[in-house]
Amino acid sequence: MLLVAMIDVVYKDNHLRNFYLTPRRNYPLMVSNNTKLILKEKSQMRARPIFPVAFANVESDLFVGAVTERGDVVTAHRDGASHSMLLARLPDTAAEPLRQNMAALNAGVATMVEQANHARSEVHPARFPAHVQQLVVKYVSPAFQGLTQAGVDETRAADAAWKRATTPEPGIGTIRQEYRQLWRSLSLAERAARVENADLDELAAISEGWGFFPDLPQPVRDAIEARLVRLGTAKLHGLTGAFVKETSASEPLAAGPDAAQVKTAAEKLIDGYKQRREHLALVATTLRSVTIAIAAATELPIEVAYKLLMGRE
């Protein structure tokens, strides 16, 4: 039974009785005890609205989910606007902590979505944003914080490994300083053209002095670092004796490192770093999109929603 109003009936003896009214089609106005409302002489009647036991117009779901090739997408619909979060699908090659925490976030969001959608028709609209905030803290925040920490740890590990691979040994003499002076006199096109055939000292001179070349485009910087990895890998394996070239009928006196194997090792290192950065980009996209969607669902500013997710509120 849907209650729409409450009637105060004041009798001559000032006795007050409350009746809950229910409109029924083709029937007289009835009260909750199924007795017709009869007002005695000089009685007064006052009506006031009350909060209904259930809403006549059921609210649509706050969150709607979809599965895509990139991952699960959950969209928050609020006041005619839509904000989507992407729970990215990480490949098996991604670091284990990233995959575990991404799975935990996916599960937490799924539970929050289910409970928020169920509560939307039961919780007063004025209290609903605060209710969603409580669900976020309970189900989403722990996994969000776990994925954030895993992402920070993986970023540090990937950057440290790349720095080791692209940092050459200290130079001897003034050769690297001379290379930097040469590069400062070159145009951007001339600098880019030199990278492919530059030796280890020349590229080391530039990587040690990035500040001298603030206008160097990022693609050129990336090419310098990639060639440093290749040259550094070749030098390392040459010193350690790894990937020694085998003798053959055509090269019976072959010696030194096998160039093909050295190149494969260097490319594997470069590709591995690129993959790690791609995985981290997916994690960053997930964290940003979750923050924006949660901000919309809870009616909070984005920075406040982020603090809520990170347990800083």
Side-chain angles (χ1 to χ4, degrees), residues 5-25:
M6 182 164 64
I7 296 296
D8 294 339
V9 179
V10 183
Y11 290 90
K12 292 174 62 177
D13 58 0
N14 291 324
H15 183 69
L16 175 67
R17 293 184 182 178
N18 304 122
F19 294 97
Y20 294 102
L21 302 185
T22 302
R24 296 179 179 234
R25 186 176 300 177

Side-chain angles (χ1 to χ4, degrees), residues 204-222:
I206 308 308
S207 68
E208 291 173 350
W210 291 123
F212 291 105
F213 310 100
D215 58 343
L216 201 62
Q218 189 60 45
V220 177
R221 293 171 64 105
D222 293 342

